[in-house]
């Protein structure tokens, strides 16, 4: 049962992720992103990490992707042809593809991930308290840094969106 | 109960889902009827009181009573929605246009599963909540799944490919995102208080009720008494989140025709309606659980005490039924409050909605959180 | 135009929270909620029609049961939407109305055109046409909505003479004052 669920959810997320990249219409892409996130939330649930699943839903599906869709609708970029890409961009794309292929290939060919046994991983995602404890002790610095980053972004947005005096 | 638990998991899940649908649809329908009746009474008119099935015309007292109450109007409305022609306007994006009301149903029906709707006392005297999915993160799950409801509105507005729905969807998404913050912040003091040091951390709604049913003055006080500001912020944000007047910007009839559902008709429109009411029901349920003592009859009298008075403490089924009745009664009172406010307070202007949300409610929620955090830290040490 | 500067008091803090006002409003609506309905259940209960109400125009008879209209066609002429159509004709012998020259052979009022202005009532020299208290007219064809003479007379019934115009005139004549 658990394996089946894992398979279903992971294939679902992967297919939707492919859909994000491949779809021309940006609303479709955003919807695929949402579905992919739902799949990942499903994965978390099947791992008993309810908290992470619901946080993912609340933050990403509920707010971030909603804002994406919001902006996509505001700009009204309904499909259309993608602009012609320059040679550099194409080359960069090729390099990225090659890197991904190499990475995946190395996993497939000689991948032996030295994963600790499942029992060795502390189940901090499952319990609310353990999660919060870890967040505010072990991972306090990253949390603070990310928070600071968000603050900078917010200030930046406010500064950028303010109209110049006398020149509205 | 054992028969049910012995069924295969999938069958159980399907049965639970069916139960939710069978309960929520009629309740939402009844709410729409109640809404019309309450609005009528507030406006000093009788409201719908004509429709009657011919069979009932000869039932002496009950028939006319149901007719006066508009019970058959409800059935007539429902049938009308079922049999109306499903029109899909030509200019819409068909896929998303049809998908939007369906998506609206997902959070509307699935959040119910996380809400405990009653409690019972087993033979050992322990109180256990009755709910469909008992997860530790209760409230978070409700918030998370409910936040998906925004997509139905955005998609409906976008797919309709017309101005009014689009404006409605814009307003809705901005409003929902703005008030979600205050909503979440306002419940934090409650859980700070519940999760005292040394106890297992939880976001479960049943735990919140358990906390309001302890003995003693502070133990038995409902959170609306101990945390009135939280309750106030929560209820205001709830009004905004469920798009109810005075915050029904997304569908304000006077300037947006019907808002995001302008282009909808027949059953698809009815689905939006059901979704709105079930969101209201779940929202009221959460409010009742968090601030109004859940299934405890009155402040300082817990369900167990009541069961003791009535002498039914030994009958789990009876106690469960009474607790469900109390809980549903409170939810109905909340729903009435929703309607009452709707027919009293005029709609805010859109910029006022934003100003209230960001400049008043959010600072208030944050200040409230800080004050209570300090207070709780001092008390619980 | 004189400009009167209004001194608006700044809102107090309580007013700016909206809450006391909302509570007061809730109290008001609650009182309305428990008040009995103020509406009428229309087909069963009918509103009381006050005198002077301008309902459908009708033709009336005098207290002796005679038609009053003399087919002068003033009302037809004055009617703004041209809702009235009259075919004048001779008054039949022995109808009790031999003293008048003409009477309407046909008298139609198209209620789809009538705007209930009451000008016909106002202009009528014979006080033969009155807007009375019928307000509920319905029909499924246009033809049904045209009131013919029979119907008009039936709807009008007999009205007591209000002004006794002819009585006065007669009395004046008998008194020898050949005023007219
Ligand atoms: S009420 Fe006015 S519109 Fe109607 S018939 Fe008389 S004059 Fe014509
Ligand atoms: S109703 Fe009066 S105004 Fe009209 S034709 Fe007859 S007498 Fe003349």
């Amino acid at each position: 049962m658990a394996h089946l669920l894992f398979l279903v959810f992971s294939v679902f997320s992967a297919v939707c992720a492919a859909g994000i990249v491949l779809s021309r219409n940006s609303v479709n892409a955003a919807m695929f992103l949402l579905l992919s996130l739902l799949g990942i939330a499903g994965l978390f649930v099947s791992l008993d990490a309810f908290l992470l699943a619901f946080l993912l839903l609340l933050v990403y599906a509920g707010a971030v992707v909603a804002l994406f869709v919001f902006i996509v609708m505001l700009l009204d970029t309904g499909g259309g042809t993608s602009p012609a890409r320059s040679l550099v961009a194409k080359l960069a794309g090729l390099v990225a593809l090659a890197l991904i292929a190499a990475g995946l290939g190395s996993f497939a060919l000689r991948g032996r991930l030295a994963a600790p046994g499942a029992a060795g991983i502390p189940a901090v995602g499952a319990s609310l308290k353990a999660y919060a404890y870890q967040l505010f002790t072990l991972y306090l610095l990253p949390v603070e840094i990310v928070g600071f980053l968000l603050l900078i972004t917010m200030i930046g947005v406010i500064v950028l969106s303010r109209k110049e005096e006398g020149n509205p | 109960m054992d028969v049910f638990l012995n069924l295969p998991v999938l069958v159980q899940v399907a049965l639970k889902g069916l139960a939710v649908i069978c309960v929520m649809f009629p309740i939402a329908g009844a709410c729409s009827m109640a809404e019309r009746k309450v609005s009528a009474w507030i406006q000093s008119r009788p409201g719908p009181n004509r429709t009657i099935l011919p069979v009932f015309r000869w039932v002496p007292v009950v028939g006319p009573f149901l007719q006066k109450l508009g019970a058959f109007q409800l059935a007539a409305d429902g049938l009308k929605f079922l049999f109306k022609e499903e029109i899909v306007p030509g200019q819409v994006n068909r896929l998303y246009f049809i998908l939007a009301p369906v998506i609206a149903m997902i959070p509307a029906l699935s959040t119910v599963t996380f809400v405990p709707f009653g409690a019972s006392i087993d033979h050992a005297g322990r109180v256990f909540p009755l709910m469909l999915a008992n997860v530790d993160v209760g409230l978070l799950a409700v918030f998370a799944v409910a936040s998906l409801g925004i997509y139905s509105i955005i998609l409906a507005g976008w797919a309709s490919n017309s101005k009014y729905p689009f404006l409605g969807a814009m307003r809705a998404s901005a409003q929902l995102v703005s008030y979600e913050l205050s909503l979440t912040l306002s419940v934090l003091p409650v859980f700070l208080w519940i999760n005292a040091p040394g106890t297992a951390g939880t976001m479960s709604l049943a735990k919140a009720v358990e906390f309001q049913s302890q003995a003693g003055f502070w133990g038995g006080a409902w959170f609306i008494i101990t945390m009135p500001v939280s309750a106030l912020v929560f209820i205001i944000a709830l009004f905004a989140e469920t798009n109810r007047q005075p915050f029904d910007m997304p569908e304000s009839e006077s300037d947006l025709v019907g808002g995001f559902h302008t282009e909808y008709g027949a059953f698809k429109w009815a689905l939006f309606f059901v979704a709105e009411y079930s969101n209201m029901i779940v929202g009221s349920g959460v409010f009742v659980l968090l601030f109004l003592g859940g299934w405890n009859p009155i402040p300082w009298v817990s369900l167990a005490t009541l069961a003791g008075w009535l002498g039914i403490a030994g009958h789990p089924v009876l106690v469960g039924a009474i607790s469900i009745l109390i809980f549903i009664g409170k939810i109905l009172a909340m729903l009435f409050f929703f309607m009452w406010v709707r027919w009293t307070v005029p709609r805010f202007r859109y910029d006022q909605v934003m100003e209230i949300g960001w400049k008043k409610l959010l600072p208030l929620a944050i200040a409230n959180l800080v004050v209570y955090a300090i207070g709780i830290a001092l008390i619980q040490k | 135009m004189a400009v009167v500067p209004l001194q608006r008091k700044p809102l107090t803090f309580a007013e700016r929270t909206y809450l006391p006002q909302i509570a007061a409003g809730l109290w008001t609506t609650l009182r309305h909620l428990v008040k009995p309905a103020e509406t009428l259940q229309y087909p069963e209960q009918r509103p009381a029609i006050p005198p002077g109400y301008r309902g459908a125009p009708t033709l009336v008879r005098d207290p002796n049961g005679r038609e009053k209209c003399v087919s002068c066609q003033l009302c037809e002429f004055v009617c703004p939407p041209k809702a009235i159509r009259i075919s004048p004709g001779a008054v039949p012998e022995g109808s009790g109305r031999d003293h008048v020259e003409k009477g309407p052979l046909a008298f139609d009022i198209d209620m789809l055109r009538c705007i209930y202005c009451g000008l016909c009532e106002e202009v009528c020299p014979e006080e033969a046409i009155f807007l009375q208290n019928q307000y509920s007219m319905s029909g499924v064809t246009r033809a049904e909505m045209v009131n013919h003479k029979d119907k008009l007379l039936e709807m009008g019934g007999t009205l007591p003479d209000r002004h006794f115009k002819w009585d006065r005139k007669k009395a004046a004549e008998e008194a020898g004052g050949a005023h007219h």
Side-chain angles (χ1 to χ4, degrees):
Chain A
M1 188 78 182
H3 281 285
L4 186 71
L5 280 181
F6 177 77
L7 213 62
V8 169
F9 282 130
S10 47
V11 169
F12 180 76
S13 320
V15 168
C16 291
I20 306 170
V21 185
L22 295 180
S23 56
R24 277 283 157 88
N25 185 328
S26 31
V27 172
N28 283 345
M31 284 298 120
F32 272 125
L33 179 54
L34 177 65
L35 286 181
S36 169
L37 284 172
L38 287 186
I40 294 172
L43 275 182
F44 279 136
V45 168
S46 70
L47 290 174
D48 274 350
F50 291 110
L51 181 69
L52 282 184
F54 289 126
L55 279 184
L56 188 79
L57 279 189
L58 191 64
V59 176
Y60 282 95
V64 175
V65 181
L67 281 183
F68 281 1
V69 180
F70 191 86
I71 304 237
V72 165
M73 289 193 328
L74 265 187
L75 300 181
D76 199 19
T77 55
T81 52
S82 44
R85 295 196 170 84
S86 67
L87 191 65
V88 182
K90 280 181 187 156
L91 272 182
L94 271 183
V95 171
L97 200 66
L99 274 177
I100 293 177
L104 285 180
S106 68
F107 266 128
L109 292 181
R110 17 184 252 107
R112 214 171 286 108
L113 279 181
I121 306 173
V124 291
S127 147
L128 194 60
K129 192 157 187 177
Y131 180 80
Y133 193 73
Q134 294 282 326
L135 205 60
F136 284 103
T137 52
L138 190 55
Y139 300 104
L140 184 61
L141 190 63
V143 169
E144 289 298 321
I145 289 176
V146 170
F148 199 64
L149 209 65
L150 285 179
L151 184 68
I152 293 173
T153 323
M154 237 159 71
I155 294 175
V157 167
I158 292 172
V159 168
L160 285 181
S161 60
R162 241 192 34 192
K163 295 198 181 84
E164 293 287 325
E165 304 274 311
N167 153 23
Chain B
M1 203 65 198
D2 292 338
V3 183
F4 180 73
L5 290 180
N6 288 337
L7 288 172
V9 177
L10 281 179
V11 178
Q12 278 189 31
V13 170
L15 279 180
K16 280 180 179 178
L18 211 62
V20 168
I21 291 177
C22 291
V23 170
M24 290 310 270
F25 265 80
I27 290 187
C31 279
S32 76
M33 198 63 243
E35 175 102 55
R36 292 171 67 179
K37 273 301 198 186
V38 169
S39 74
W41 289 332
I42 283 181
Q43 293 160 6
S44 293
R45 36 186 192 92
N49 62 352
R50 297 263 157 190
T51 330
I52 190 165
L53 274 181
V55 186
F56 278 90
R57 193 161 288 155
W58 290 292
V59 181
V61 179
V62 183
F65 178 71
L66 287 180
Q67 183 190 20
K68 284 256 147 45
L69 222 56
F72 302 104
Q73 184 76 37
L74 169 63
D77 280 354
L79 281 181
K80 183 197 80 173
F81 282 132
L82 270 181
F83 291 119
K84 247 176 127 169
E85 183 187 356
E86 291 278 345
I87 295 175
V88 178
Q91 85 284 11
V92 303
N93 180 329
R94 279 189 79 93
L95 173 68
Y96 290 134
F97 187 77
I98 294 173
L99 211 57
V102 179
I103 293 181
M105 295 315 293
I106 296 176
L109 293 181
S110 51
T111 40
V112 186
T113 54
F114 304 119
V115 176
F117 48 84
S120 187
I121 303 172
D122 62 8
H123 295 289
R126 276 180 301 128
V127 178
F128 61 95
L130 306 170
M131 60 199 296
L132 291 176
N134 197 351
V135 284
D136 185 36
V137 287
L139 184 66
L140 208 58
V142 174
F143 281 168
V145 181
S147 69
L148 295 183
I150 188 173
Y151 287 102
S152 78
I153 295 181
I154 295 189
L155 281 183
W158 181 76
S160 295
N161 199 5
S162 112
K163 291 192 187 69
Y164 292 126
F166 186 73
L167 283 174
M170 285 287 129
R171 289 179 174 189
S173 33
Q175 178 178 319
L176 292 189
V177 170
S178 314
Y179 280 78
E180 217 158 68
L181 275 172
S182 314
L183 190 74
T184 320
L185 284 178
S186 69
V187 298
L188 282 184
V190 173
F191 286 99
L192 279 182
W193 179 238
I194 292 175
N195 292 318
T199 57
T202 181
M203 290 281 275
S204 146
L205 290 163
K207 262 279 166 22
V209 178
E210 213 172 277
F211 244 78
Q212 297 172 68
S213 21
Q214 294 166 345
F217 180 77
W218 289 114
W222 292 354
F223 283 133
I224 195 171
I225 301 168
T226 46
M227 302 177 181
V229 181
S230 287
L232 181 72
V233 174
F234 188 87
I235 193 101
I236 293 176
L238 195 61
F239 271 95
E241 286 286 307
T242 48
N243 293 334
R244 292 287 297 187
Q245 215 123 332
F247 295 102
D248 68 337
M249 282 298 113
E251 43 190 298
S252 56
E253 295 88 354
S254 47
D255 41 337
L256 291 187
V257 188
F260 63 90
H261 55 56
T262 305
E263 304 285 345
Y264 284 86
F267 202 64
K268 290 198 285 297
W269 185 83
L271 284 185
F272 277 126
F273 217 69
V274 170
E276 183 184 327
Y277 279 111
S278 29
N279 285 341
M280 261 166 71
I281 294 168
V282 173
S284 324
V286 171
F287 185 79
V288 167
L289 290 169
L290 285 182
F291 295 106
L292 292 184
W295 41 79
N296 296 322
I298 44 174
W300 295 291
V301 177
S302 72
L303 181 68
T305 322
L306 181 78
W309 287 348
L310 294 179
I312 52 167
H315 309 279
V317 178
L318 221 57
V319 177
I322 285 187
S323 75
I324 291 177
L325 279 186
I326 293 174
F327 184 58
I328 287 182
K330 282 185 188 176
I331 286 192
L332 290 183
M334 283 295 297
L335 289 177
F336 170 73
F337 182 69
F338 268 87
M339 293 169 190
W340 185 17
V341 168
R342 168 167 183 184
W343 297 103
T344 302
V345 185
R347 179 181 300 131
F348 284 117
R349 219 169 46 219
Y350 186 58
D351 61 322
Q352 288 173 329
V353 170
M354 284 298 130
E355 201 173 295
I356 293 172
W358 287 105
K359 293 194 188 159
K360 302 206 168 130
L361 219 51
L362 190 60
L364 186 64
I366 293 176
N368 177 49
L369 175 62
V370 171
V371 168
Y372 272 99
I374 295 172
I376 289 169
L378 288 181
I379 293 174
Q380 292 183 338
K381 207 71 72 101
Chain C
M1 209 169 82
V3 175
V4 183
L6 269 185
Q7 288 299 321
R8 285 191 204 283
K9 265 189 288 174
L11 297 182
T12 62
F13 177 74
E15 278 168 343
R16 272 186 289 137
T17 63
Y18 304 129
L19 293 176
Q21 276 67 33
I22 290 179
L26 286 175
W27 172 240
T28 308
T29 43
L30 188 68
R31 271 182 301 149
H32 278 275
L33 188 86
V34 293
K35 268 218 302 226
E38 292 187 356
T39 49
L40 289 178
Q41 294 297 295
Y42 168 62
E44 293 96 35
Q45 299 172 319
R46 301 286 179 123
I49 303 294
Y53 183 82
R54 296 210 308 250
T58 59
L59 290 178
V60 299
R61 296 173 188 274
D62 69 5
N64 302 325
R66 298 175 297 199
E67 270 175 35
K68 291 172 101 176
C69 174
V70 295
S71 204
C72 70
Q73 292 179 285
L74 277 177
C75 53
E76 185 176 10
F77 183 75
V78 80
C79 177
K82 306 227 172 299
I84 303 180
R85 172 163 296 242
I86 300 169
S87 315
V91 175
E93 292 284 327
S95 61
R97 297 188 290 136
D98 304 326
H99 59 289
V100 295
E101 288 167 28
K102 286 196 295 179
L105 285 183
F107 197 119
D108 301 334
I109 302 184
D110 187 349
M111 293 316 293
L112 291 175
R113 310 200 88 184
C114 174
I115 55 172
Y116 305 90
C117 62
L119 286 184
C120 47
E121 175 179 336
E122 209 164 297
V123 81
C124 179
E126 298 291 323
E127 290 162 10
I129 188 165
F130 279 94
L131 272 68
Q132 295 192 38
N133 53 9
Q134 281 93 347
Y135 52 84
S136 156
M137 265 128 329
S138 58
V140 287
T141 59
R142 281 162 190 273
E144 262 178 65
M145 296 302 289
V146 177
N147 287 339
H148 299 299
K149 191 177 150 191
D150 304 339
K151 175 97 184 282
L152 290 170
L153 281 168
E154 184 200 317
M155 291 198 314
T158 304
L159 275 194
D161 242 336
R162 276 194 209 155
H163 306 290
F164 307 103
K165 176 173 158 189
W166 295 111
D167 291 352
R168 274 190 223 154
K169 208 164 173 180
K170 215 165 152 191
E173 255 167 31
E174 277 162 10
H179 186 63
H180 291 277

